Amino acid sequence: MTTIQHSGNDVIISFAGHLDTATSVEANLKISRELEKMVSIDSLTCDAMKLEYISSSGLRILLSLAKRHKDFRVINVQPQVYEVLETTGFTKIMTVERAMRRLSVEGCKLIGIGSVGKVYRLDGDTIIKVFREGTTMENVRREITLSKEAFVLGMPTAISFDIVKVVPSNQDGVECYGLVYELLKATTLSAYLKQHSEQIDECARMYADLFKQMHEIEVPEGGNIPSAVQHERQQIEHIRRYFPEESISMMLCILDSIPAGNQLLHLDLQTKNVMVQDGQLMLIDMGEVGYGHPLLDLGHSYSSMVSLIGDYEKTIGIPRELGQRFWNQAIEYYFEGLPAETIEERKKQIEVVSCIRNFSWLALSDSFPETVIEECKTMFDERVAQRFDYIKEVCKTFSNWTL
């Protein structure tokens, strides 16, 4: 059976059952008649979720559609049909997407909560990052792409190739996207610090080395890694709904003072986004990766590890006092060997840049509670507005931080 739907100039053709010699003639006629009625077609998608079998006759229909429509793809392909498409080479000449597995995290241990989702342990070998409701497939694919690029550039990054649908635990819930990672005997750095607080110094050095390793990598032009400054500007623009123009201008003033750079930046490197595996640190959350000056990256992390607004222990996974002590030791290792006055100047610069992330993170979702938004507004007055003369003076020193 073949059904055709369209929204504007976007067309979805759904196949069910068998697409063989007996059914292909009728399916082809139905598709031709429906498409001829349309003045223009922007995209054409074949949904194969209910397609159980495809023969050479059905393959010819797909090939004809792919040749006539530039934005063409086949989605939700079941294993037996995907095998046919792969064997015949169709996966190399058109976009073919496997049907996503549906998983439940019911009863799974929650090991991390972030601004864009939660991380659960599925079993002894795998974890799953479950994205917030409303996260698009484009967002998920972007994270995979950035993870792969960072890995190729030399970062210890866990890469997921398995996108899944996570089924809700109750009737009122909705399905969300998830990424499955294979991590043997791994735990978050937050959990590790909580269990092994006596190793805080060793972990702080490893954490600092992770930053330094990343900030020594220059991002080549022409790749998929975006400008961190441009992304930050977009987030500031997104939160205009919450803050008056004067507040937005203050944040942009700080952002515009940050020197240019092409270093690899994580932009959310807090201890819940780092896994400890076999005594080594590995990154698992690469959705905000960009390039720019290390000052922006360290400012983001300071915002999480030191000046986070909200429930610190719930978000970071350790008591605030432990997190701040860990950060203070790590930043000393990061700047090890520099003159004391330079280190103090850079610490002030990092704290000032953190004033952007303290509030721009609201752009990560449009569903934060009103109480959180109001708390941010109150803290903005205290951290930025009342100190803005001091902040402007510190911004003048940013240019001293040469790469």
Side-chain angles (χ1 to χ4, degrees):
M1 183 174 69
T2 303
T3 57
I4 303 171
Q5 298 173 302
H6 56 85
S7 175
N9 294 329
D10 300 319
V11 179
I12 298 178
I13 302 172
S14 299
F15 296 113
H18 288 210
L19 193 57
D20 52 24
T21 304
T23 59
S24 291
V25 174
E26 182 180 349
N28 195 36
L29 286 173
K30 185 174 184 178
I31 292 169
S32 298
R33 284 196 299 264
E34 191 67 29
L35 298 187
E36 286 173 1
K37 297 176 185 177
M38 301 188 65
V39 177
S40 64
I41 296 174
D42 293 335
S43 69
L44 196 152
T45 301
C46 288
D47 188 338
M49 176 63 76
K50 297 181 180 180
L51 184 62
E52 301 168 359
Y53 173 83
I54 187 168
S55 71
S56 58
S57 300
L59 291 174
R60 282 194 287 272
I61 293 177
L62 297 184
L63 186 59
S64 175
L65 292 172
K67 288 181 177 179
R68 285 185 283 147
H69 302 281
K70 185 177 180 180
D71 190 352
F72 174 80
R73 60 189 182 131
V74 187
I75 64 171
N76 296 327
V77 182
Q78 299 298 331
Q80 67 274 18
V81 175
Y82 188 89
E83 184 177 353
V84 174
L85 296 177
E86 186 174 42
T87 301
T88 54
F90 273 53
T91 56
K92 296 180 180 179
I93 60 175
M94 64 181 69
T95 300
V96 180
E97 300 175 7
R98 295 175 183 268
M100 284 183 283
R101 288 191 294 154
R102 299 175 78 249
L103 298 177
S104 171
V105 293
E106 188 74 25
C108 295
K109 182 181 179 182
L110 176 66
I111 61 175
I113 300 176
S115 54
V116 297
K118 300 178 180 179
V119 178
Y120 296 86
R121 179 166 293 284
L122 285 176
D123 53 43
D125 296 342
T126 56
I127 63 173
I128 181 172
K129 177 179 178 180
V130 182
F131 291 87
R132 273 180 175 272
E133 177 185 347
T135 301
T136 65
M137 176 60 81
E138 181 181 357
N139 297 141
V140 178
R141 289 199 183 103
R142 179 177 183 272
E143 178 158 334
I144 292 178
T145 298
L146 294 178
S147 294
K148 289 179 180 178
E149 293 228 1
F151 181 83
V152 170
L153 289 172
M155 288 307 298
T157 303
I159 300 175
S160 169
F161 295 96
D162 195 4
I163 304 175
V164 299
K165 278 288 188 72
V166 180
V167 300
S169 57
N170 57 67
Q171 280 189 326
D172 297 326
V174 297
E175 287 191 338
C176 298
Y177 291 114
L179 285 178
V180 177
Y181 294 88
E182 288 189 350
L183 289 171
L184 303 176
K185 299 179 182 178
T187 185
T188 66
L189 180 54
S190 290
Y192 190 86
L193 286 170
K194 206 168 184 178
Q195 296 167 5
H196 306 281
S197 58
E198 75 282 358
Q199 296 184 31
I200 185 172
D201 186 73
E202 178 185 347
C203 291
R205 181 173 285 281
M206 292 170 62
Y207 183 70
D209 288 344
L210 190 64
F211 267 115
K212 288 195 284 188
Q213 178 184 353
M214 183 159 46
H215 295 163
E216 288 173 357
I217 295 174
E218 295 186 357
V219 176
E221 295 182 4
N224 291 303
I225 296 177
S227 163
V229 168
Q230 289 181 12
H231 180 64
E232 194 80 0
R233 190 180 304 280
Q234 291 170 358
Q235 292 194 314
I236 293 173
E237 293 292 339
H238 190 86
I239 61 173
R240 282 183 182 274
R241 66 186 72 185
Y242 307 131
F243 294 92
E245 181 60 36
E246 184 180 11
S247 299
I248 297 296
S249 295
M250 290 178 183
M251 284 187 272
L252 289 175
C253 176
I254 299 171
L255 182 66
D256 290 338
S257 300
I258 297 174
N262 68 337
Q263 274 59 44
L264 183 65
L265 312 180
H266 185 275
L267 300 174
D268 195 16
L269 192 48
Q270 46 102 336
T271 51
K272 263 196 177 178
N273 285 338
V274 181
M275 303 296 290
V276 182
Q277 184 177 25
D278 298 328
Q280 303 295 319
L281 301 187
M282 179 175 289
L283 299 169
I284 62 166
D285 192 332
M286 306 294 285
E288 294 191 70
V289 167
Y291 70 84
H293 194 287
L295 175 55
L296 184 57
D297 204 10
L298 294 167
H300 271 221
S301 294
Y302 182 99
S303 174
S304 298
M305 298 303 301
V306 179
S307 59
L308 182 97
I309 297 174
D311 189 329
Y312 187 97
E313 188 155 0
K314 180 179 179 182
T315 303
I316 305 300
I318 51 179
R320 188 183 290 268
E321 184 277 331
L322 177 59
Q324 291 177 339
R325 182 156 58 95
F326 174 76
W327 171 265
N328 290 336
Q329 289 183 238
I331 205 65
E332 291 293 335
Y333 284 131
Y334 182 87
F335 291 128
E336 195 171 35
L338 292 178
E341 60 272 19
T342 300
I343 294 175
E344 287 308 305
E345 180 180 74
R346 293 190 176 183
K347 286 181 179 179
K348 292 177 182 178
Q349 294 167 344
I350 290 169
E351 185 275 325
V352 163
V353 170
S354 76
C355 293
I356 304 174
R357 179 66 168 185
N358 278 162
F359 311 102
S360 67
W361 67 272
L362 289 172
L364 296 175
S365 174
D366 291 329
S367 60
F368 289 115
E370 191 63 32
T371 53
V372 172
I373 296 168
E374 289 304 316
E375 183 179 6
C376 286
K377 290 179 179 179
T378 300
M379 294 304 296
F380 185 91
D381 184 61
E382 178 182 321
R383 294 184 179 181
V384 182
Q386 295 180 24
R387 307 168 56 230
F388 198 58
D389 287 340
Y390 163 79
I391 286 173
K392 287 190 290 185
E393 289 303 310
V394 174
C395 286
K396 292 177 183 178
T397 71
F398 287 180
S399 59
N400 295 339
W401 190 331
T402 55
L403 300 175

